[in-house]
Amino acid sequence: MKIAVILTEFLMIMQKLLSVLALNCELSYFIYKDFQDAGELYLALEPDYDGFLVSGPVPRAAICQRVPSLPKPLISFWKQPPVLL
């Protein structure tokens, strides 16, 4: 199974964290600059990947706005932004 991970350059630290997990799939990482880029990346990558992992609910929403009927699974690894106290 091939999974595309779409995230910002700042969150590329997730590459190291995800590599520690014993996932039975191939992960490829793609960086978006703004939320519009996330939607375009999904469209460009969709034919070649079985699923997508994005950095949070905002890029997920941007992709869903660009592609209203998702043909492949799209999961965000942060369900909600962290709360700052």
Side-chain angles (χ1 to χ4, degrees):
M1 179 182 304
K2 290 174 61 176
I3 305 294
V5 182
I6 300 174
L7 40 72
T8 63
E9 188 171 5
F10 174 75
L11 291 174
M12 278 301 289
I13 189 158
M14 292 303 297
Q15 181 176 14
K16 190 170 188 173
L17 296 172
L18 290 171
S19 70
V20 174
L21 301 175
L23 301 175
N24 188 21
C25 63
E26 175 187 331
L27 298 175
S28 299
Y29 296 85
F30 301 92
I31 295 172
Y32 67 87
K33 301 282 186 209
D34 60 37
F35 296 122
Q36 182 178 350
D37 288 346
E40 297 305 317
L41 272 172
Y42 181 94
L43 284 173
L45 298 170
E46 187 271 325
D48 299 322
Y49 287 87
D50 300 310
F52 294 82
L53 185 60
V54 294
S55 57
V58 176
R60 186 184 191 291
I63 292 170
C64 290
Q65 184 176 14
R66 180 69 176 95
V67 187
S69 180
L70 298 171
K72 305 275 177 80
L74 174 64
I75 306 294
S76 62
F77 53 80
W78 274 330
K79 294 198 183 258
Q80 54 189 2
V83 176
L84 300 175
L85 299 176

